[in-house]
Amino acid sequence: MEQQTEKKKIVFSAIQPSGTITLGNYLGAIKNWTVMQEEYNCIYALADLHTITVRQTPATFRKNILDAYASILACGIDAEKSVFFIQSHVTTHAQLAWLLNCYTQFGELSRMTQFKDKSAKHADNVNAGLFTYPTLMAADILLYQADMVPVGADQKQHLEITRNIAERFNGIYGNVFKVPEAYIPKNGARVMSLQDPTKKMSKSDENVNACVTLMDSPETIMKKFKRAVTDSEAIVRYADGKEGINNLMGIYSAVTGLSFEQIEKDFDGKGYGDFKTTVGEAVVEALRPIRERYEKYIADKAYLQECYTKADEIAQKFSQRTLDKAMKKVGYVLK
Ligand code: TYM
């Protein structure tokens, strides 16, 4: 991998192990991770340090970490092609995050919409970690000198602050960090709730019918799509005010590769019932092999451990170089 680093672009991204992975996570991010690993040097992390910004039950959290690791492999991340590590196993992330905290302003962190949303949602636990979450995320990315960061649209603001922090640090100390670009897919970047299509699909949604997860059975997926909220026009077309149908078209297009034009043509004269069934079936078929592979991976804990141990070591070594460089520039005496 290190030899190839010279030539190929570096891709970094991460996902939190905060529950079952959703169709939104898959279409907005992970699907692109699998495509990018064929072309670039890809480094992916399970961002488990970020997850405790919201209180976790220890036993469930432990289970979620391994479940998420197995699920990502099942989505097609190949441990031979990509470096897929566990963030808490690599010491440099928390270290660089501390440094970056001292180069990030209170005002800019206060403007983060995710902080505002999450502090409203967890009003009894507005902890300092939730506030400084973006500096840890910036550390994740900057440690690997990433060129590109494939994420869903909800992470765009965090990418912008990452770029600002990198530019500020570079402005003081010279060229320490690569300034990364967000890679946001045209389709699937913002999969919406099936029950309220003005809201993002999220695993923490109280309405179970709002969110499809990778581990839902085919029957459950079909049921959720059949109940999806639409409108009364009964014409499958993409337009303002038709958020429910727009969302279903976006999902269908992301899963099948069909253009909106083609979808509108195919469903000309057909009702929403037919369309919802077709979208549901396409999602069932896209997720079926993932669920099957997940069963295989989660049953083989030794293999999972082998994969993350190897990846953790590579990530530690790679990121240590950047951390050392940054610390030296600041004036620290390295060990
Ligand atoms: P997380 O764990 O919430 O989500 C993982 C990825 O899934 C995308 N995503 C969506 N995409 C489309 N539609 C949706 N409804 C949807 N919901 C989630 C997210 O945009 C993300 O790409 N802070 C990050 C994890 C992280 C990270 C990083 C990402 C930590 N360090 C460094 C990139 C680089 C997060 O909580 O993602």
Side-chain angles (χ1 to χ4, degrees), residues 242-285:
K242 289 175 67 74
E243 281 75 17
I245 287 297
N246 295 349
N247 187 36
L248 293 181
M249 286 178 72
I251 293 171
Y252 189 51
S253 168
V255 168
T256 59
L258 292 172
S259 68
F260 283 3
E261 236 183 350
Q262 187 63 46
I263 297 171
E264 287 175 359
K265 240 201 223 146
D266 292 350
F267 285 88
D268 189 21
K270 294 188 186 154
Y272 287 167
D274 278 351
F275 184 50
K276 287 181 183 180
T277 303
T278 306
V279 178
E281 283 168 352
V283 171
V284 165
E285 286 321 309

Side-chain angles (χ1 to χ4, degrees), residues 37-279:
Q37 72 183 346
E38 304 303 329
E39 202 175 330
Y40 304 109
N41 260 337
C42 293
I43 306 168
Y44 300 125
L46 209 56
D48 57 347
L49 292 175
H50 281 94
T51 310
I52 62 162
T53 51
V54 173
R55 193 78 72 237
Q56 302 292 314
T57 308
T60 313
F61 185 35
R62 198 169 292 123
K63 180 176 176 299
N64 283 347
I65 293 172
L66 283 185
D67 269 2
Y69 196 91
S71 303
I72 302 287
L73 291 183
C75 285
I77 292 303
D78 181 339
E80 297 293 321
K81 290 182 185 158
S82 296
V83 175
F84 177 37
F85 69 96
I86 299 184
Q87 186 191 31
S88 64
H89 295 182
V90 178
T91 58
T92 48
H93 291 250
Q95 289 173 292
L96 184 63
W98 173 252
L99 237 69
L100 299 183
N101 271 334
C102 303
Y103 295 82
T104 307
Q105 298 304 303
F106 185 89
E108 56 187 339
L109 288 173
S110 309
R111 285 194 290 276
M112 294 292 111
T113 50
Q114 185 176 299
F115 171 68
K116 288 190 223 163
D117 291 350
K118 285 209 175 168
S119 38
K121 204 163 163 196
H122 304 279
D124 56 338
N125 185 21
V126 184
N127 60 74
L130 194 61
F131 187 65
T132 59
Y133 182 112
T135 57
L136 178 58
M137 187 162 154
D140 296 342
I141 298 166
L142 301 179
L143 278 169
Y144 299 94
Q145 306 290 349
D147 297 282
M148 276 182 294
V149 184
V151 283
D154 63 331
Q155 295 300 320
K156 193 166 172 242
Q157 200 185 26
H158 288 159
L159 256 295
E160 276 158 16
I161 195 172
T162 299
R163 289 169 58 88
N164 292 341
I165 297 170
E167 279 164 358
R168 183 174 308 141
F169 199 95
N170 288 349
I172 306 172
Y173 300 109
N175 217 3
V176 179
F177 301 123
K178 177 98 203 179
V179 181
E181 302 280 344
Y183 177 90
I184 297 173
K186 240 178 46 220
N187 246 328
R190 200 167 164 80
V191 177
M192 308 306 273
S193 154
L194 296 184
Q195 289 297 308
D196 176 359
T198 60
K199 260 178 34 190
K200 186 183 84 164
M201 180 182 282
S202 157
K203 48 196 147 202
S204 59
D205 205 305
E206 277 148 27
N207 186 339
V208 287
N209 289 319
C211 175
V212 171
T213 81
L214 298 193
M215 296 306 141
D216 281 347
S217 68
E219 299 73 44
T220 305
I221 296 174
M222 291 308 295
K223 201 174 74 196
K224 289 180 179 175
F225 276 103
K226 282 185 181 156
R227 289 188 185 163
V229 168
T230 49
D231 56 73
S232 55
E233 192 193 45
I235 300 173
V236 177
R237 67 183 183 102
Y238 193 93
D240 282 349
K242 289 175 67 74
E243 281 75 17
I245 287 297
N246 295 349
N247 187 36
L248 293 181
M249 286 178 72
I251 293 171
Y252 189 51
S253 168
V255 168
T256 59
L258 292 172
S259 68
F260 283 3
E261 236 183 350
Q262 187 63 46
I263 297 171
E264 287 175 359
K265 240 201 223 146
D266 292 350
F267 285 88
D268 189 21
K270 294 188 186 154
Y272 287 167
D274 278 351
F275 184 50
K276 287 181 183 180
T277 303
T278 306
V279 178

